Amino acid sequence: MIELSLNIVPVPKQRPRATKTGRVYTPRETADYERSIARLVGHCPAQLGALALDVSFLLKRPVRTPKSMQGRFMKAGSRGDLDNYIKSLLDGFQRGGLVPNDAAVTQINAKKVYCAIDEDPHIEFKLWSLGEQVTLETLLIDEPNDR
């Protein structure tokens, strides 16, 4: 299992762009972010087999947040879709060699949270192997059997 905190401002994956000639490319901000993630996780050993990811994206606090809200909090907002944050993180993992293919991640628990008053934006994650073969029964938790 790998458990890390990456001191980088989370960036959601942007849509691919196309030039007038039809060449498709990834926007610079997204590509730079994925390269930064790759550098930060490049020292970690590659994780093989079916993988599970538990991740928290800690975003910059909105300017108009009351000072009475000292700790971390969740709030629906327009800071990017959670799935786009996950996509860019997994692409960075793949680029850095942490996972051979981001399709190997078969289980994800993710949340988008605003930072506490004394925190900087960052990413906290745990990535672990579920083993080469995972049965459906091991993934079903508290599923009633009386159907």
Side-chain angles (χ1 to χ4, degrees):
M1 178 170 74
I2 294 175
E3 185 171 355
L4 284 176
S5 179
L6 305 176
N7 292 320
I8 186 170
V9 176
V11 175
K13 181 91 171 182
Q14 296 176 1
R15 293 187 184 278
R17 307 281 191 243
T19 63
K20 291 178 184 176
T21 60
R23 183 173 101 38
V24 178
Y25 66 96
T26 300
R28 176 165 302 206
E29 184 183 9
T30 299
D32 289 347
Y33 174 73
E34 289 173 3
R35 280 191 288 276
S36 296
I37 294 289
R39 279 193 298 278
L40 291 170
V41 301
H43 69 282
C44 298
Q47 302 296 298
L48 303 174
L51 302 172
L53 175 67
D54 187 5
V55 61
S56 297
F57 297 97
L58 284 97
L59 308 175
K60 183 180 179 217
R61 291 172 67 89
V63 176
R64 298 184 72 141
T65 304
K67 298 267 189 235
S68 61
M69 294 179 73
Q70 298 281 320
R72 295 177 178 181
F73 64 96
M74 285 189 220
K75 176 183 171 194
S78 60
R79 295 262 172 117
D81 295 344
L82 184 58
D83 63 322
N84 290 328
Y85 283 102
I86 294 167
K87 282 182 216 171
S88 58
L89 180 67
L90 290 178
D91 287 346
F93 284 176
Q94 184 172 338
R95 210 180 255 233
L98 183 58
V99 296
N101 186 339
D102 57 3
V105 179
T106 59
Q107 182 177 332
I108 297 175
N109 178 29
K111 60 184 168 185
K112 187 171 65 166
V113 181
Y114 290 100
C115 293
I117 212 157
D118 58 345
E119 276 184 309
D120 290 325
H122 64 281
I123 302 168
E124 298 172 351
F125 77 90
K126 293 179 196 174
L127 181 72
W128 67 96
S129 177
L130 294 171
E132 281 298 321
Q133 296 197 355
V134 179
T135 61
L136 185 58
E137 289 78 26
T138 60
L139 294 177
L140 298 175
I141 300 171
D142 297 329
E143 187 70 25
N145 292 329
D146 57 348
R147 291 185 186 178

